[in-house]
Amino acid sequence: MSRRGIEYVRDDPDGEWTVRHLSGDTSDKAYRCPGCDQEIPRGVAHVVAWPSDGWGDAGDRRHWHTTCWRGRHQRRPNIQRTRNAPRYG
């Protein structure tokens, strides 16, 4: 296996994605997961995905927790809130 993991193309309802699974030992910095808006700390295994069907490129890569990536179709849109904002609605 290469340092960056093995890439594959996945055709999903939300488009065609190039996906790479990274092991914890290859992750050398923290990232923000777009699925849960939480930090993925250094050394944690995760998924990197970007559009591969012509509407994006490797510059559109996003780092996801593995469970967030798998469950992204079941989630509501992520609403950014301040720390003291109510958690309803």
Side-chain angles (χ1 to χ4, degrees), residues 8-12 15-19 52 69 72:
Y8 61 93
V9 175
R10 179 180 176 109
D11 190 17
D12 279 340
E16 193 173 274
W17 296 90
T18 301
V19 180
S52 61
W69 172 253
R72 72 190 185 284

Side-chain angles (χ1 to χ4, degrees), residues 52-63:
S52 61
D53 60 1
W55 61 272
D57 60 18
D60 294 316
R61 289 184 299 221
R62 297 295 176 261
H63 294 254

Side-chain angles (χ1 to χ4, degrees), residues 2 6 29 33 37 39 44 49 56 72-73 77 79:
S2 70
I6 297 174
K29 69 181 212 177
C33 175
D37 198 35
E39 184 178 279
V44 173
R72 72 190 185 284
H73 299 299
I79 300 170

Side-chain angles (χ1 to χ4, degrees), residues 62-80:
R62 297 295 176 261
H63 294 254
W64 296 73
H65 291 107
T66 303
T67 54
C68 291
W69 172 253
R70 288 183 188 142
R72 72 190 185 284
H73 299 299
Q74 286 79 35
R75 296 182 71 95
R76 293 181 16 207
N78 193 5
I79 300 170
Q80 298 287 329

